[in-house]
Every structure is written in structure tokens, then in C-alpha cells.
Amino acid sequence: MKKLMFLSILLIMYGCTQQQQPQQQPPIERPSLPNYDFLIIAHRGASAYTTGHTLAAYEMAVNMGADYIEIDLHMTKDGKLVALHDSVVTLHNAQQAVADVTFDEIQLLFPGKEFHKNHLAYTLPNLEDLRVVDLSEILFHFGDSINYYIEMKSPEEYPGIEEELLLQLREHHLLNRDDATPKVIIQSFDAPSLKEMFALEPSIPLIQLYKFSKEAKLSKKELRELTKYASGVGVNVEAVNRKFIDSMHRARLLVHPYTVNDEELMRSLKKFGVNGIFTDRPDVAYRVKNEKSSIDID
């Protein structure tokens, strides 16, 4: 009788222990990008033809057939996400960090003043469209009519940039959609920032940026870590080779080299199987993308 009671108590205790243990959730899957042959990512807009990171550059890129416009983001002292490449600006004849000035101060800059240096074969844009803009204005201007490829520049210098970026993307209904092509891709050189973004909103495809001094190569350990959060890699074009591209594809990662402006190089990369390129010349990339190969003709 005592043995029976003892066994009953053990079974009850085991059952309680099992109930207390939380069920293990399956790991969140990183989103996969459609396996396009050749995405055209307009680097700072059509920056070969007009001042980059302006509405004019973005408009021109869209008209030239770009699949995405690339936007570099910094955060100002008053929390605005501003489209600029550099983290330092020259104001009142002195260099200042973007993080230390307000957006109103940033707007004293007029990047369009260098517009005349470009050799244009295109219509002169409105000078109003050649000024510094913030992300909210870009999103209001284009809405969901285009796709955005956004780089968080130096996110370690801007606490809260991930949350602010997500807030604006949600306000414009650009996330968790059923589009065949994702409306938003986010990239950064900063792996911790991308991992935080993945934890906050795992539906966004993330691109880990690299700049290799020699040929592009990742160890098995680096690749395992990368595939926990990233959907692809952005790599300086000088370091890209066929072996690297194939290894990324085996890991279900896409490859987007930067920055490619030479037409013949575009053709070579297309043959190598890259999934897209960053370019200042989206019109040239569009022509290469739509060329028929001899195999297609036959």
C-alpha cells in the first residue's frame, strides 16, 4: 500500500513538472527574397546623373527602371531619419556630426549646388528636388508605389534608430504585405543592429554588408551565424568571385555586389548568377538586365 502511494506521488510530481516546463518555440525563420536573376538597386538613386539622396535622384532612378531605390539613413539630434551618405556635415565652415545637429540645421545644406558638375543627358530637375530630405518625406512622396532598400549607417551612434525606422515603415503600411517583391529591404555593416531589427520585426529581409580587402570569403562559423538572421549579403564588387557566389547560394543567401557602373562588368556578374547589383546607373543596368542571350535567341 505504501509503495502504491509513493508511486502515485511520484507520478503526480512528474506531471506537475511537465506542466511547468514551457513549450519550446520553433526558431523564427528568416524571410527569403524572391530568387530574381538581377535586381537593379539604384545606389543613392540615379546618382551618376544627379545629386544622390535627393527626390530628383530617386525619381530618375524609378523612371530608369530600378527595382529598388537605396537610401542611407542617419539620425539627427532631434530624432529625424535623414537621407545622407556621410555621418559628418559641414555647417558654418565647421564639420559636425549629424547626431549633433537638428534637421532644420541640416537643411541649410544644399547638395544641388554641385548639380552643374554632372554631364546630363536628361531633363534638368526642379531645384526644389535637389535638397536634403528625411525618410518621412520620401515615404510620403512615393508611398507604396516603389520599393525601398534602406541602409542604417553607423547605427551604434544613433540609439533607437531601429525602432524609429520600424515606426515609420509601419505608419506607411510597408510591412507584412503580400507583395511578390518585398517593399522594404534593410541592410547594414553592423551585425548587432541587424540582429536587433530581426528580433523586432522578423518579416523584413535583411542584408549583411561586407567590405573585403581581398577575395570575399566567410568561414563556416560566420556563415552559420549569418543565416540566423540575414537573407543575403552585400559585398564590394572587387572581392566577388564565382566560388563565393555559389557558396552563398548553397546557404540560401542572395548576393548583391556594390557599386557596379561598368556595363561589361554588369554582364559578367549577371552570368555569374548574382541576384542584383547596386549601381549609380540604373538605366545601363536595366538595358543589361533585359538583354537576350544567345541561348534565349536559339
Side-chain angles (χ1 to χ4, degrees), residues 161-200:
I161 188 173
E162 294 87 0
E163 290 86 350
E164 179 59 27
L165 174 54
L166 285 175
L167 176 65
Q168 293 196 32
L169 294 174
R170 288 187 182 118
E171 284 178 348
H172 289 269
H173 310 291
L174 295 170
L175 302 181
N176 294 300
R177 298 165 56 108
D178 295 326
D179 304 274
T181 305
K183 280 291 166 191
V184 178
I185 298 173
I186 294 176
Q187 63 176 340
S188 182
F189 283 98
D190 192 287
S193 182
L194 287 179
K195 290 175 183 177
E196 182 177 349
M197 184 63 77
F198 182 69
L200 291 169

mmCIF file of all heavy atoms in Angstrom, residues 161-200:
data_model
loop_
_atom_site.group_PDB
_atom_site.id
_atom_site.type_symbol
_atom_site.label_atom_id
_atom_site.label_comp_id
_atom_site.label_asym_id
_atom_site.label_seq_id
_atom_site.Cartn_x
_atom_site.Cartn_y
_atom_site.Cartn_z
ATOM 1 N N ILE A 161 17.478 54.008 -33.439
ATOM 2 C CA ILE A 161 17.238 54.170 -34.873
ATOM 3 C C ILE A 161 16.402 53.011 -35.422
ATOM 4 O O ILE A 161 15.559 53.206 -36.302
ATOM 5 C CB ILE A 161 18.569 54.315 -35.666
ATOM 6 C CG1 ILE A 161 18.260 54.686 -37.129
ATOM 7 C CG2 ILE A 161 19.425 53.076 -35.573
ATOM 8 C CD1 ILE A 161 19.498 55.017 -37.951
ATOM 9 N N GLU A 162 16.603 51.816 -34.893
ATOM 10 C CA GLU A 162 15.834 50.659 -35.380
ATOM 11 C C GLU A 162 14.341 50.848 -35.112
ATOM 12 O O GLU A 162 13.505 50.625 -36.001
ATOM 13 C CB GLU A 162 16.326 49.368 -34.710
ATOM 14 C CG GLU A 162 17.742 48.966 -35.065
ATOM 15 C CD GLU A 162 18.800 49.623 -34.169
ATOM 16 O OE1 GLU A 162 18.419 50.397 -33.261
ATOM 17 O OE2 GLU A 162 19.992 49.371 -34.394
ATOM 18 N N GLU A 163 14.011 51.266 -33.880
ATOM 19 C CA GLU A 163 12.598 51.454 -33.517
ATOM 20 C C GLU A 163 11.953 52.569 -34.336
ATOM 21 O O GLU A 163 10.805 52.442 -34.785
ATOM 22 C CB GLU A 163 12.461 51.759 -32.028
ATOM 23 C CG GLU A 163 12.775 50.584 -31.109
ATOM 24 C CD GLU A 163 14.250 50.455 -30.790
ATOM 25 O OE1 GLU A 163 15.071 51.175 -31.433
ATOM 26 O OE2 GLU A 163 14.587 49.636 -29.919
ATOM 27 N N GLU A 164 12.690 53.665 -34.536
ATOM 28 C CA GLU A 164 12.132 54.793 -35.294
ATOM 29 C C GLU A 164 11.911 54.413 -36.759
ATOM 30 O O GLU A 164 10.893 54.780 -37.357
ATOM 31 C CB GLU A 164 13.065 56.000 -35.210
ATOM 32 C CG GLU A 164 12.611 57.227 -35.989
ATOM 33 C CD GLU A 164 11.252 57.765 -35.560
ATOM 34 O OE1 GLU A 164 10.864 57.569 -34.383
ATOM 35 O OE2 GLU A 164 10.550 58.368 -36.403
ATOM 36 N N LEU A 165 12.836 53.661 -37.316
ATOM 37 C CA LEU A 165 12.688 53.219 -38.700
ATOM 38 C C LEU A 165 11.461 52.318 -38.840
ATOM 39 O O LEU A 165 10.643 52.493 -39.752
ATOM 40 C CB LEU A 165 13.946 52.476 -39.143
ATOM 41 C CG LEU A 165 13.916 51.808 -40.520
ATOM 42 C CD1 LEU A 165 13.522 52.790 -41.617
ATOM 43 C CD2 LEU A 165 15.277 51.187 -40.832
ATOM 44 N N LEU A 166 11.301 51.379 -37.937
ATOM 45 C CA LEU A 166 10.146 50.481 -37.991
ATOM 46 C C LEU A 166 8.839 51.249 -37.807
ATOM 47 O O LEU A 166 7.839 50.956 -38.473
ATOM 48 C CB LEU A 166 10.264 49.407 -36.917
ATOM 49 C CG LEU A 166 11.274 48.295 -37.186
ATOM 50 C CD1 LEU A 166 11.373 47.359 -35.987
ATOM 51 C CD2 LEU A 166 10.892 47.508 -38.429
ATOM 52 N N LEU A 167 8.847 52.226 -36.922
ATOM 53 C CA LEU A 167 7.653 53.033 -36.690
ATOM 54 C C LEU A 167 7.186 53.699 -37.983
ATOM 55 O O LEU A 167 5.996 53.652 -38.334
ATOM 56 C CB LEU A 167 7.933 54.091 -35.620
ATOM 57 C CG LEU A 167 6.806 55.089 -35.317
ATOM 58 C CD1 LEU A 167 5.599 54.368 -34.718
ATOM 59 C CD2 LEU A 167 7.297 56.191 -34.378
ATOM 60 N N GLN A 168 8.126 54.301 -38.706
ATOM 61 C CA GLN A 168 7.756 54.994 -39.941
ATOM 62 C C GLN A 168 7.312 54.012 -41.031
ATOM 63 O O GLN A 168 6.366 54.286 -41.785
ATOM 64 C CB GLN A 168 8.917 55.858 -40.429
ATOM 65 C CG GLN A 168 9.229 57.017 -39.501
ATOM 66 C CD GLN A 168 10.103 58.071 -40.160
ATOM 67 O OE1 GLN A 168 10.027 58.294 -41.355
ATOM 68 N NE2 GLN A 168 10.931 58.725 -39.362
ATOM 69 N N LEU A 169 7.959 52.880 -41.126
ATOM 70 C CA LEU A 169 7.574 51.884 -42.129
ATOM 71 C C LEU A 169 6.174 51.345 -41.851
ATOM 72 O O LEU A 169 5.382 51.127 -42.771
ATOM 73 C CB LEU A 169 8.592 50.745 -42.162
ATOM 74 C CG LEU A 169 10.003 51.119 -42.639
ATOM 75 C CD1 LEU A 169 10.943 49.923 -42.489
ATOM 76 C CD2 LEU A 169 10.001 51.620 -44.078
ATOM 77 N N ARG A 170 5.862 51.155 -40.579
ATOM 78 C CA ARG A 170 4.514 50.683 -40.225
ATOM 79 C C ARG A 170 3.471 51.755 -40.510
ATOM 80 O O ARG A 170 2.369 51.450 -40.982
ATOM 81 C CB ARG A 170 4.479 50.283 -38.755
ATOM 82 C CG ARG A 170 5.239 48.993 -38.459
ATOM 83 C CD ARG A 170 5.048 48.531 -37.030
ATOM 84 N NE ARG A 170 5.826 47.329 -36.760
ATOM 85 C CZ ARG A 170 6.808 47.252 -35.864
ATOM 86 N NH1 ARG A 170 7.127 48.314 -35.140
ATOM 87 N NH2 ARG A 170 7.465 46.117 -35.687
ATOM 88 N N GLU A 171 3.795 53.008 -40.213
ATOM 89 C CA GLU A 171 2.847 54.103 -40.454
ATOM 90 C C GLU A 171 2.465 54.193 -41.929
ATOM 91 O O GLU A 171 1.355 54.594 -42.268
ATOM 92 C CB GLU A 171 3.450 55.429 -39.992
ATOM 93 C CG GLU A 171 3.438 55.625 -38.484
ATOM 94 C CD GLU A 171 4.089 56.930 -38.065
ATOM 95 O OE1 GLU A 171 4.753 57.577 -38.915
ATOM 96 O OE2 GLU A 171 3.935 57.314 -36.887
ATOM 97 N N HIS A 172 3.395 53.817 -42.801
ATOM 98 C CA HIS A 172 3.131 53.876 -44.240
ATOM 99 C C HIS A 172 2.714 52.524 -44.809
ATOM 100 O O HIS A 172 2.692 52.356 -46.033
ATOM 101 C CB HIS A 172 4.369 54.426 -44.961
ATOM 102 C CG HIS A 172 4.592 55.888 -44.719
ATOM 103 N ND1 HIS A 172 4.074 56.860 -45.535
ATOM 104 C CD2 HIS A 172 5.251 56.529 -43.721
ATOM 105 C CE1 HIS A 172 4.423 58.055 -45.059
ATOM 106 N NE2 HIS A 172 5.130 57.879 -43.977
ATOM 107 N N HIS A 173 2.416 51.578 -43.926
ATOM 108 C CA HIS A 173 1.868 50.269 -44.328
ATOM 109 C C HIS A 173 2.775 49.550 -45.329
ATOM 110 O O HIS A 173 2.314 49.001 -46.333
ATOM 111 C CB HIS A 173 0.465 50.446 -44.917
ATOM 112 C CG HIS A 173 -0.449 51.256 -44.057
ATOM 113 N ND1 HIS A 173 -0.939 50.816 -42.837
ATOM 114 C CD2 HIS A 173 -0.940 52.512 -44.220
ATOM 115 C CE1 HIS A 173 -1.696 51.747 -42.299
ATOM 116 N NE2 HIS A 173 -1.717 52.787 -43.104
ATOM 117 N N LEU A 174 4.068 49.547 -45.023
ATOM 118 C CA LEU A 174 5.037 48.931 -45.931
ATOM 119 C C LEU A 174 5.530 47.569 -45.447
ATOM 120 O O LEU A 174 6.342 46.939 -46.121
ATOM 121 C CB LEU A 174 6.237 49.874 -46.133
ATOM 122 C CG LEU A 174 5.919 51.188 -46.841
ATOM 123 C CD1 LEU A 174 7.109 52.141 -46.775
ATOM 124 C CD2 LEU A 174 5.530 50.941 -48.298
ATOM 125 N N LEU A 175 5.036 47.122 -44.294
ATOM 126 C CA LEU A 175 5.489 45.856 -43.735
ATOM 127 C C LEU A 175 4.360 44.831 -43.729
ATOM 128 O O LEU A 175 3.180 45.174 -43.761
ATOM 129 C CB LEU A 175 5.999 46.066 -42.301
ATOM 130 C CG LEU A 175 7.137 47.071 -42.134
ATOM 131 C CD1 LEU A 175 7.553 47.144 -40.674
ATOM 132 C CD2 LEU A 175 8.334 46.714 -43.003
ATOM 133 N N ASN A 176 4.771 43.541 -43.661
ATOM 134 C CA ASN A 176 3.814 42.427 -43.568
ATOM 135 C C ASN A 176 2.747 42.480 -44.658
ATOM 136 O O ASN A 176 1.548 42.404 -44.399
ATOM 137 C CB ASN A 176 3.160 42.422 -42.180
ATOM 138 C CG ASN A 176 4.150 42.119 -41.081
ATOM 139 O OD1 ASN A 176 4.769 41.056 -41.067
ATOM 140 N ND2 ASN A 176 4.326 43.060 -40.171
ATOM 141 N N ARG A 177 3.211 42.625 -45.878
ATOM 142 C CA ARG A 177 2.325 42.672 -47.037
ATOM 143 C C ARG A 177 2.455 41.374 -47.830
ATOM 144 O O ARG A 177 3.326 40.550 -47.553
ATOM 145 C CB ARG A 177 2.688 43.876 -47.912
ATOM 146 C CG ARG A 177 2.508 45.221 -47.217
ATOM 147 C CD ARG A 177 3.227 46.325 -47.976
ATOM 148 N NE ARG A 177 2.795 46.404 -49.349
ATOM 149 C CZ ARG A 177 2.031 47.376 -49.858
ATOM 150 N NH1 ARG A 177 1.605 48.359 -49.090
ATOM 151 N NH2 ARG A 177 1.698 47.388 -51.132
ATOM 152 N N ASP A 178 1.612 41.226 -48.835
ATOM 153 C CA ASP A 178 1.633 40.025 -49.661
ATOM 154 C C ASP A 178 2.248 40.271 -51.041
ATOM 155 O O ASP A 178 2.016 39.499 -51.972
ATOM 156 C CB ASP A 178 0.205 39.480 -49.841
ATOM 157 C CG ASP A 178 -0.386 39.005 -48.523
ATOM 158 O OD1 ASP A 178 0.381 38.495 -47.688
ATOM 159 O OD2 ASP A 178 -1.608 39.155 -48.337
ATOM 160 N N ASP A 179 3.024 41.366 -51.172
ATOM 161 C CA ASP A 179 3.629 41.676 -52.467
ATOM 162 C C ASP A 179 4.609 40.577 -52.885
ATOM 163 O O ASP A 179 5.323 40.017 -52.048
ATOM 164 C CB ASP A 179 4.384 43.010 -52.389
ATOM 165 C CG ASP A 179 3.487 44.138 -51.918
ATOM 166 O OD1 ASP A 179 2.814 44.747 -52.750
ATOM 167 O OD2 ASP A 179 3.462 44.399 -50.701
ATOM 168 N N ALA A 180 4.665 40.312 -54.165
ATOM 169 C CA ALA A 180 5.632 39.328 -54.672
ATOM 170 C C ALA A 180 7.058 39.788 -54.400
ATOM 171 O O ALA A 180 7.941 38.987 -54.096
ATOM 172 C CB ALA A 180 5.417 39.118 -56.170
ATOM 173 N N THR A 181 7.275 41.089 -54.512
ATOM 174 C CA THR A 181 8.579 41.680 -54.202
ATOM 175 C C THR A 181 8.452 42.446 -52.888
ATOM 176 O O THR A 181 7.575 43.304 -52.765
ATOM 177 C CB THR A 181 9.007 42.670 -55.303
ATOM 178 O OG1 THR A 181 8.976 42.007 -56.563
ATOM 179 C CG2 THR A 181 10.400 43.207 -55.041
ATOM 180 N N PRO A 182 9.305 42.173 -51.890
ATOM 181 C CA PRO A 182 9.200 42.896 -50.624
ATOM 182 C C PRO A 182 9.331 44.403 -50.830
ATOM 183 O O PRO A 182 10.193 44.858 -51.581
ATOM 184 C CB PRO A 182 10.381 42.353 -49.815
ATOM 185 C CG PRO A 182 10.710 41.040 -50.435
ATOM 186 C CD PRO A 182 10.377 41.175 -51.885
ATOM 187 N N LYS A 183 8.470 45.164 -50.184
ATOM 188 C CA LYS A 183 8.522 46.616 -50.318
ATOM 189 C C LYS A 183 9.781 47.194 -49.690
ATOM 190 O O LYS A 183 10.281 48.238 -50.110
ATOM 191 C CB LYS A 183 7.285 47.258 -49.664
ATOM 192 C CG LYS A 183 6.043 47.213 -50.522
ATOM 193 C CD LYS A 183 6.209 48.134 -51.728
ATOM 194 C CE LYS A 183 5.155 47.863 -52.779
ATOM 195 N NZ LYS A 183 5.462 48.561 -54.039
ATOM 196 N N VAL A 184 10.295 46.512 -48.665
ATOM 197 C CA VAL A 184 11.431 47.043 -47.910
ATOM 198 C C VAL A 184 12.472 45.958 -47.691
ATOM 199 O O VAL A 184 12.144 44.827 -47.316
ATOM 200 C CB VAL A 184 10.983 47.595 -46.544
ATOM 201 C CG1 VAL A 184 12.183 48.100 -45.741
ATOM 202 C CG2 VAL A 184 9.955 48.713 -46.708
ATOM 203 N N ILE A 185 13.728 46.307 -47.936
ATOM 204 C CA ILE A 185 14.884 45.506 -47.542
ATOM 205 C C ILE A 185 15.768 46.425 -46.705
ATOM 206 O O ILE A 185 15.920 47.608 -47.019
ATOM 207 C CB ILE A 185 15.660 44.992 -48.770
ATOM 208 C CG1 ILE A 185 14.775 44.082 -49.630
ATOM 209 C CG2 ILE A 185 16.919 44.244 -48.345
ATOM 210 C CD1 ILE A 185 15.410 43.677 -50.954
ATOM 211 N N ILE A 186 16.338 45.891 -45.637
ATOM 212 C CA ILE A 186 17.205 46.700 -44.779
ATOM 213 C C ILE A 186 18.595 46.084 -44.758
ATOM 214 O O ILE A 186 18.752 44.862 -44.638
ATOM 215 C CB ILE A 186 16.629 46.812 -43.357
ATOM 216 C CG1 ILE A 186 15.318 47.607 -43.388
ATOM 217 C CG2 ILE A 186 17.627 47.472 -42.405
ATOM 218 C CD1 ILE A 186 14.607 47.696 -42.060
ATOM 219 N N GLN A 187 19.598 46.943 -44.843
ATOM 220 C CA GLN A 187 20.981 46.495 -44.849
ATOM 221 C C GLN A 187 21.807 47.302 -43.851
ATOM 222 O O GLN A 187 21.450 48.416 -43.482
ATOM 223 C CB GLN A 187 21.584 46.663 -46.247
ATOM 224 C CG GLN A 187 21.632 48.118 -46.705
ATOM 225 C CD GLN A 187 22.317 48.298 -48.035
ATOM 226 O OE1 GLN A 187 23.083 47.449 -48.481
ATOM 227 N NE2 GLN A 187 22.067 49.412 -48.696
ATOM 228 N N SER A 188 22.937 46.718 -43.452
ATOM 229 C CA SER A 188 23.874 47.434 -42.579
ATOM 230 C C SER A 188 25.173 46.646 -42.501
ATOM 231 O O SER A 188 25.187 45.426 -42.703
ATOM 232 C CB SER A 188 23.293 47.607 -41.169
ATOM 233 O OG SER A 188 24.186 48.340 -40.347
ATOM 234 N N PHE A 189 26.253 47.354 -42.196
ATOM 235 C CA PHE A 189 27.516 46.691 -41.870
ATOM 236 C C PHE A 189 27.491 46.205 -40.421
ATOM 237 O O PHE A 189 28.325 45.397 -40.024
ATOM 238 C CB PHE A 189 28.698 47.662 -42.043
ATOM 239 C CG PHE A 189 29.101 47.874 -43.479
ATOM 240 C CD1 PHE A 189 28.655 48.969 -44.187
ATOM 241 C CD2 PHE A 189 29.938 46.970 -44.119
ATOM 242 C CE1 PHE A 189 29.028 49.178 -45.509
ATOM 243 C CE2 PHE A 189 30.323 47.161 -45.447
ATOM 244 C CZ PHE A 189 29.865 48.263 -46.146
ATOM 245 N N ASP A 190 26.572 46.735 -39.631
ATOM 246 C CA ASP A 190 26.508 46.483 -38.191
ATOM 247 C C ASP A 190 25.630 45.269 -37.895
ATOM 248 O O ASP A 190 24.401 45.363 -37.910
ATOM 249 C CB ASP A 190 25.967 47.727 -37.491
ATOM 250 C CG ASP A 190 26.128 47.658 -35.987
ATOM 251 O OD1 ASP A 190 25.378 46.890 -35.360
ATOM 252 O OD2 ASP A 190 26.985 48.371 -35.433
ATOM 253 N N ALA A 191 26.269 44.129 -37.614
ATOM 254 C CA ALA A 191 25.523 42.892 -37.365
ATOM 255 C C ALA A 191 24.615 42.988 -36.130
ATOM 256 O O ALA A 191 23.464 42.543 -36.183
ATOM 257 C CB ALA A 191 26.477 41.712 -37.236
ATOM 258 N N PRO A 192 25.080 43.538 -34.983
ATOM 259 C CA PRO A 192 24.179 43.649 -33.820
ATOM 260 C C PRO A 192 22.902 44.427 -34.124
ATOM 261 O O PRO A 192 21.824 44.072 -33.642
ATOM 262 C CB PRO A 192 25.043 44.370 -32.783
ATOM 263 C CG PRO A 192 26.439 44.000 -33.128
ATOM 264 C CD PRO A 192 26.454 43.950 -34.630
ATOM 265 N N SER A 193 23.000 45.468 -34.934
ATOM 266 C CA SER A 193 21.824 46.252 -35.286
ATOM 267 C C SER A 193 20.853 45.435 -36.136
ATOM 268 O O SER A 193 19.630 45.479 -35.942
ATOM 269 C CB SER A 193 22.238 47.522 -36.034
ATOM 270 O OG SER A 193 21.109 48.311 -36.349
ATOM 271 N N LEU A 194 21.384 44.666 -37.085
ATOM 272 C CA LEU A 194 20.526 43.814 -37.911
ATOM 273 C C LEU A 194 19.857 42.728 -37.062
ATOM 274 O O LEU A 194 18.683 42.406 -37.264
ATOM 275 C CB LEU A 194 21.336 43.178 -39.034
ATOM 276 C CG LEU A 194 21.764 44.103 -40.179
ATOM 277 C CD1 LEU A 194 22.594 43.322 -41.200
ATOM 278 C CD2 LEU A 194 20.577 44.763 -40.861
ATOM 279 N N LYS A 195 20.595 42.179 -36.113
ATOM 280 C CA LYS A 195 20.015 41.159 -35.237
ATOM 281 C C LYS A 195 18.895 41.757 -34.386
ATOM 282 O O LYS A 195 17.869 41.105 -34.140
ATOM 283 C CB LYS A 195 21.095 40.548 -34.351
ATOM 284 C CG LYS A 195 22.085 39.688 -35.116
ATOM 285 C CD LYS A 195 23.203 39.194 -34.219
ATOM 286 C CE LYS A 195 24.232 38.393 -35.008
ATOM 287 N NZ LYS A 195 25.368 37.950 -34.171
ATOM 288 N N GLU A 196 19.090 42.983 -33.927
ATOM 289 C CA GLU A 196 18.032 43.656 -33.175
ATOM 290 C C GLU A 196 16.815 43.889 -34.059
ATOM 291 O O GLU A 196 15.669 43.698 -33.627
ATOM 292 C CB GLU A 196 18.545 44.998 -32.623
ATOM 293 C CG GLU A 196 17.499 45.727 -31.795
ATOM 294 C CD GLU A 196 18.004 47.013 -31.182
ATOM 295 O OE1 GLU A 196 19.223 47.264 -31.211
ATOM 296 O OE2 GLU A 196 17.167 47.789 -30.673
ATOM 297 N N MET A 197 17.059 44.288 -35.296
ATOM 298 C CA MET A 197 15.957 44.505 -36.234
ATOM 299 C C MET A 197 15.206 43.197 -36.480
ATOM 300 O O MET A 197 13.968 43.176 -36.541
ATOM 301 C CB MET A 197 16.502 45.065 -37.550
ATOM 302 C CG MET A 197 15.447 45.426 -38.565
ATOM 303 S SD MET A 197 14.334 46.740 -38.015
ATOM 304 C CE MET A 197 15.383 48.192 -38.246
ATOM 305 N N PHE A 198 15.925 42.089 -36.590
ATOM 306 C CA PHE A 198 15.297 40.784 -36.797
ATOM 307 C C PHE A 198 14.427 40.404 -35.604
ATOM 308 O O PHE A 198 13.318 39.854 -35.766
ATOM 309 C CB PHE A 198 16.369 39.718 -37.035
ATOM 310 C CG PHE A 198 15.820 38.350 -37.315
ATOM 311 C CD1 PHE A 198 15.156 38.080 -38.490
ATOM 312 C CD2 PHE A 198 15.959 37.326 -36.387
ATOM 313 C CE1 PHE A 198 14.640 36.811 -38.754
ATOM 314 C CE2 PHE A 198 15.443 36.061 -36.642
ATOM 315 C CZ PHE A 198 14.783 35.808 -37.823
ATOM 316 N N ALA A 199 14.905 40.715 -34.393
ATOM 317 C CA ALA A 199 14.132 40.415 -33.188
ATOM 318 C C ALA A 199 12.870 41.272 -33.113
ATOM 319 O O ALA A 199 11.818 40.804 -32.671
ATOM 320 C CB ALA A 199 14.996 40.639 -31.947
ATOM 321 N N LEU A 200 12.970 42.518 -33.565
ATOM 322 C CA LEU A 200 11.833 43.433 -33.508
ATOM 323 C C LEU A 200 10.802 43.166 -34.604
ATOM 324 O O LEU A 200 9.594 43.278 -34.380
ATOM 325 C CB LEU A 200 12.325 44.884 -33.627
ATOM 326 C CG LEU A 200 13.131 45.443 -32.454
ATOM 327 C CD1 LEU A 200 13.773 46.772 -32.837
ATOM 328 C CD2 LEU A 200 12.247 45.608 -31.228
#
